[in-house]
Amino acid sequence: MIKFNNVTKIYSQSTVVLQDISFEIKEGEFVSVVGKSGVGKTTLTRLILGLEAPTSGEIYFKGENLNTADPAKIQEIRRKIGCIYQDYKLLPKKTVYENVAYIMQVEGKENEEIDREVPKVLEIIGLGGKINNFPDQLSGGEKQRLAIARALVNNPEIIIADEPTGNLDPYNTYEVISLLQKINKAGKTIILATHDREIINKLGKRVVTLENGKIIRDEQAGKFII
Amino acid sequence: MKNNTKRIIGFAINDFNRNKGISIATIFVLTITIMLVTGLFFFQGIAGYLTAQIQNKIDITAYFVDGTQEQDILNVKDEIIKMSPNIKNVEYVSKDQALATFSAKHKDDAVLGQALQEVGNNPFLPSLNITTNSDPAQYAQVANILQTSDFSKLIDKVDYSQKKDTIEEIYSITSNITIFGIILGIILILVAILVVFNTIKLAIENSKEEINTMKTVGASNQFIRGPFIIQGVIYGIISFVICFLLSGIFALILSSKVEVILPGFSLFGFFLTNWWIFVLIQLGFGIGVGVISALIVVKKHLEI
Ligand SMILES: Nc1ncnc2c1ncn2[C@@H]1O[C@H](COP(=O)(O)OP(=O)(O)OP(=O)(O)O)[C@@H](O)[C@H]1O
Ligand SMILES: [Mg+2]
C-alpha cells in the first residue's frame, strides 16, 4: 500500500534525517515507528502525506509515485488518510464540532451524514460536552482527542497517528490505543509513531525502529528496544 | 457542487463574524479608499463643468460701424473662418436681431422700453459673435485678425478686453485644480496600495496556519480559497453601501456651498444624474480590491 524506495531526506546540508530507506507497509497492517526524539518519525509521516518531498528516492501510495503525482491527486490521497498530527493542526477559528465536520465537508459528504457522524465520534472520544468550544478553549489532552476524532470521522483506509497519546493520561492512552486496535481489526491500516515503550510492548505488532537516519530493526511482533 | 458553494459561503460568513476586528478594520480602510476614488470622480465632474463654462465664455464680439453692408460683414466672417479654421463658431447678429433680442430680454422694463422709443431709430450695431475653442492662443489670434486686417476699418469696437482677465484667471484656476487633482490622485493610489497591503498582511497573520492545515487534510484549493474570496466580496459590498450613502449625503449637504462658488453647478444633481457610475466605480473598486487581496494572500499559502 505504501512503499519507500531508497528514500533520503535532507533538510539542509547539516540535517540528514532519513538515509536511503526502503520498506513497505501492507494493507491492514499495524505498524509502529519508533526512535529517539528528532530521529525523523514525523518527517516520515509527512513524506507519506506529500507534505515534504524526498531529497532522493521514491514513495508510492497504492502504486502512485508521489514525486510525479499532480496536486489534485496528492489532495485526494490526503483525504484518504486520517492523520493525527503531533501538533494537532486544528482549525483555530472553528469550533470542536466544525473542526470535525470540516473533514467531512472536504470529502463532500452530505449534511445529514455529517450531522449524524460528528456527534457520534465526539461522544466516543469524550468531547460530547465541548462541541461549541474553540480549540484554544481546550486542554492539551482535549485538543489531542479532537485531533483523533478528526482523523477517525471519515472512516479512512489508513490512519497515521503521530504521537497520539503524548498529552493523555494513562486511562485515555489505553482508550485511544484500543480504539486504534479495534479500527485495525476492522481491516484498516495503522501507522503509529511513538516513543512510548509501554504501548509498543503491549501491542505486539510490527515495529520499525529508526536510528541515525536508518532502519535498524523491522520486526513483526517487535519490542521497543533502543 | 451546490453543497460546496453553500458551505464556502457559510464558512465566509462565519469567519467574517468571528473576526469582527479585522472585518471592521478592512471595511474601514476600504471605505476610505473608495471615498477617495469617489472624490476624484466628483472632482472630474466639477472640472468638466468648469471647462464647459470656459468654452462658452471665451468669445469675442466685434461691433461694426453703423451702416456697414451685410455682405461686407459676412465676408469678414468668412475671412475669420478661413484664417482660423478650427474656430468653434462665428455668428452674425444684424441690427434688427440685436434690437429684437434686447427688447425680448427687457420687455418687462417699461423705462427702458420708453427710452428706446424716444431714441426713435435702432441704436444697435450689427456684430459678429465669435466663440473660440477655449484655447487662449486661438483667442489671441482672432483678436489680432480683427485689429490688423484690411477690414478693421469697418469695425467700430471689439468687446474682449474686459473678459480677457477673467478668462486668464479661470485658466489659472483650472490648471491649479488639475495639478491638485494629480497630487490627490497620487496620494489616492498610494493609499490604495497601502490598503491592499494592509489587508493582505492582516489576513496572512491570521490565516497562515489555517490554510496550511486545510491543505494537509486534503481540502481542494477551491475549497480553501473560496471563503476568503467571498469574504473579499462581502467587504467590498459593505464598503460600497457605506460609500454610496456617504457620497449622497455629502453631495446633498455640500451642494448649496458649491453652488455659491460655481453658480449653476449642482453637486447633488451631478450625483443623481451619474448615480449608476457611482455604483459602478464604488462597487467595482470595493469588490476588486477585496477579492484581489484575498487571492494574493491565499495563493501565497497554497503553495505547499
Ligand atoms: N522543516 C524542517 N526544516 C529543517 N529541519 C527540520 C524540519 N523539520 C524537522 N527538521 C529536523 O529533522 C529532524 C527530524 O525531525 P522529526 O520531527 O521528523 O523528528 P521526530 O522523530 O518526529 O521527533 P519527535 O519524537 O520529537 O517528534 C530533526 O532534527 C528536526 O530538527
Ligand atoms: Mg515527531
Side-chain angles (χ1 to χ4, degrees), chain A residues 51 75 78-79 85 89-95 98 102-103 105-106 108-111 114 134 150, chain B residues 3-4 7 11 14-15 18-19 206-207 209-210 213-221 223-224 304:
Chain A
L51 294 168
Q75 277 163 330
R78 286 176 193 162
R79 287 198 291 271
Y85 298 91
K89 295 223 185 299
L90 304 171
L91 297 166
K93 283 185 266 178
K94 296 196 189 295
T95 64
E98 289 165 351
Y102 189 81
I103 303 297
Q105 288 162 337
V106 162
K109 296 268 165 69
E110 291 300 322
N111 286 337
I114 294 174
F134 287 94
R150 214 179 49 169
Chain B
N3 232 347
N4 253 357
R7 277 169 188 166
F11 291 153
N14 249 345
D15 286 346
R18 283 176 188 168
N19 302 296
N206 239 282
S207 311
E209 283 300 312
E210 204 182 352
T213 300
M214 290 169 173
K215 192 88 188 176
T216 56
V217 299
S220 69
N221 285 355
F223 208 65
I224 299 172
I304 52 163

Side-chain angles (χ1 to χ4, degrees), chain A residues 9-29:
Chain A
K9 178 69 190 176
I10 304 170
Y11 276 116
S12 55
Q13 240 93 34
S14 50
T15 41
V16 181
V17 183
L18 299 176
Q19 222 174 348
D20 201 19
I21 287 202
S22 299
F23 71 104
E24 198 180 343
I25 296 171
K26 298 224 164 57
E27 202 161 338
E29 265 193 302

Side-chain angles (χ1 to χ4, degrees), chain B residues 27-99:
Chain B
I27 289 170
F28 182 72
V29 273
L30 206 49
T31 302
I32 289 177
T33 317
I34 301 173
M35 280 316 278
L36 284 169
V37 177
T38 307
L40 204 68
F41 183 60
F42 270 123
F43 166 75
Q44 184 268 328
I46 291 169
Y49 176 77
L50 267 180
T51 313
Q53 285 298 96
I54 292 163
Q55 271 163 358
N56 292 334
K57 272 209 176 90
I58 298 194
D59 55 1
I60 302 165
T61 307
Y63 295 99
F64 288 80
V65 290
D66 211 355
T68 311
Q69 290 300 303
E70 186 169 308
Q71 196 49 54
D72 286 340
I73 297 175
L74 292 176
N75 285 344
V76 173
K77 180 182 168 183
D78 292 343
E79 191 81 3
I80 290 172
I81 292 172
K82 205 171 79 195
M83 289 173 82
S84 197
N86 48 8
I87 201 124
K88 204 171 165 195
N89 188 34
V90 183
E91 186 196 9
Y92 167 57
V93 179
S94 70
K95 243 171 112 75
D96 297 340
Q97 277 170 331
L99 176 63

Side-chain angles (χ1 to χ4, degrees), chain B residues 4-291:
Chain B
N4 253 357
T5 314
K6 234 191 258 166
R7 277 169 188 166
I8 285 170
I9 292 172
F11 291 153
I13 292 170
N14 249 345
D15 286 346
F16 180 86
N17 284 330
R18 283 176 188 168
N19 302 296
K20 284 230 171 60
I22 288 174
S23 300
I24 290 170
T26 310
I27 289 170
F28 182 72
V29 273
L30 206 49
T31 302
I32 289 177
T33 317
I34 301 173
M35 280 316 278
L36 284 169
V37 177
T38 307
L40 204 68
F41 183 60
F42 270 123
F43 166 75
Q44 184 268 328
I46 291 169
Y49 176 77
L50 267 180
T51 313
Q53 285 298 96
I54 292 163
Q55 271 163 358
N56 292 334
K57 272 209 176 90
I58 298 194
D59 55 1
I60 302 165
T61 307
Y63 295 99
F64 288 80
V65 290
D66 211 355
T68 311
Q69 290 300 303
E70 186 169 308
Q71 196 49 54
D72 286 340
I73 297 175
L74 292 176
N75 285 344
V76 173
K77 180 182 168 183
D78 292 343
E79 191 81 3
I80 290 172
I81 292 172
K82 205 171 79 195
M83 289 173 82
S84 197
N86 48 8
I87 201 124
K88 204 171 165 195
N89 188 34
V90 183
E91 186 196 9
Y92 167 57
V93 179
S94 70
K95 243 171 112 75
D96 297 340
Q97 277 170 331
L99 176 63
T101 314
F102 184 86
S103 307
K105 205 168 168 186
H106 300 285
K107 64 179 187 294
D108 298 331
D109 195 329
V111 182
L112 266 178
Q114 207 177 352
L116 263 179
Q117 223 123 59
E118 271 164 27
V119 173
N121 62 350
N122 181 350
F124 291 96
L125 297 172
S127 64
L128 281 180
N129 286 343
I130 304 154
T131 312
T132 65
N133 65 5
S134 81
D135 179 358
Q138 192 181 58
Y139 181 85
Q141 188 190 20
V142 172
N144 198 38
I145 295 169
L146 292 176
Q147 277 168 345
T148 58
S149 306
D150 347 331
F151 54 76
S152 61
K153 60 181 184 301
L154 294 176
I155 294 169
D156 184 63
K157 64 179 166 70
V158 179
D159 184 5
Y160 62 79
S161 50
Q162 294 147 312
K163 280 186 180 172
K164 210 169 166 178
D165 291 345
T166 22
I167 288 161
E168 266 156 20
E169 199 178 318
I170 291 170
Y171 255 102
S172 84
I173 290 173
T174 33
S175 61
N176 280 344
I177 289 178
T178 312
I179 291 166
F180 174 74
I182 290 167
I183 292 171
L184 191 74
I186 290 169
I187 294 172
L188 180 102
I189 290 163
L190 286 179
V191 170
I193 290 170
L194 261 176
V195 168
V196 175
F197 260 84
N198 201 31
T199 317
I200 291 169
K201 227 179 119 210
L202 276 172
I204 286 177
E205 306 299 313
N206 239 282
S207 311
K208 205 167 150 181
E209 283 300 312
E210 204 182 352
I211 293 171
N212 236 309
T213 300
M214 290 169 173
K215 192 88 188 176
T216 56
V217 299
S220 69
N221 285 355
Q222 203 44 48
F223 208 65
I224 299 172
R225 208 187 283 130
F228 289 96
I229 293 169
I230 302 288
Q231 270 191 85
V233 173
I234 296 175
Y235 294 147
I237 290 174
I238 293 179
S239 306
F240 153 70
V241 170
I242 295 172
C243 287
F244 191 74
L245 293 177
L246 279 182
S247 341
I249 291 167
F250 273 140
L252 189 61
I253 292 173
L254 294 178
S255 210
S256 58
K257 296 207 167 64
V258 172
E259 201 148 9
V260 173
I261 309 164
L262 286 175
F265 181 76
S266 161
L267 203 62
F268 192 59
F270 177 75
F271 177 73
L272 288 182
T273 47
N274 295 298
W275 68 270
W276 58 276
I277 300 180
F278 278 88
V279 172
L280 230 64
I281 290 177
Q282 296 181 337
L283 203 57
F285 204 83
I287 293 181
V289 171
V291 169

Side-chain angles (χ1 to χ4, degrees), chain A residues 11 15 17 36-43 52 86 163 195:
Chain A
Y11 276 116
T15 41
V17 183
K36 288 187 192 124
S37 175
V39 79
K41 301 183 292 294
T42 300
T43 302
E52 299 284 352
Q86 195 170 11
E163 211 66 68
H195 36 220

Side-chain angles (χ1 to χ4, degrees), chain A residues 109-176:
Chain A
K109 296 268 165 69
E110 291 300 322
N111 286 337
E112 298 79 55
E113 193 182 346
I114 294 174
D115 292 343
R116 198 175 58 234
E117 290 300 318
V118 175
K120 213 161 45 181
V121 76
L122 285 174
E123 206 55 56
I124 291 171
I125 217 76
L127 285 173
K130 308 253 171 175
I131 58 168
N132 289 322
N133 283 33
F134 287 94
D136 62 4
Q137 298 167 329
L138 298 176
S139 74
E142 285 168 339
K143 278 185 205 162
Q144 189 143 42
R145 278 182 281 154
L146 175 54
I148 294 165
R150 214 179 49 169
L152 302 182
V153 74
N154 262 346
N155 207 8
E157 300 168 49
I158 306 173
I159 291 179
I160 296 177
D162 189 2
E163 211 66 68
T165 57
N167 258 313
L168 301 182
D169 53 46
Y171 172 75
N172 274 307
T173 301
Y174 172 76
E175 289 285 297
V176 167

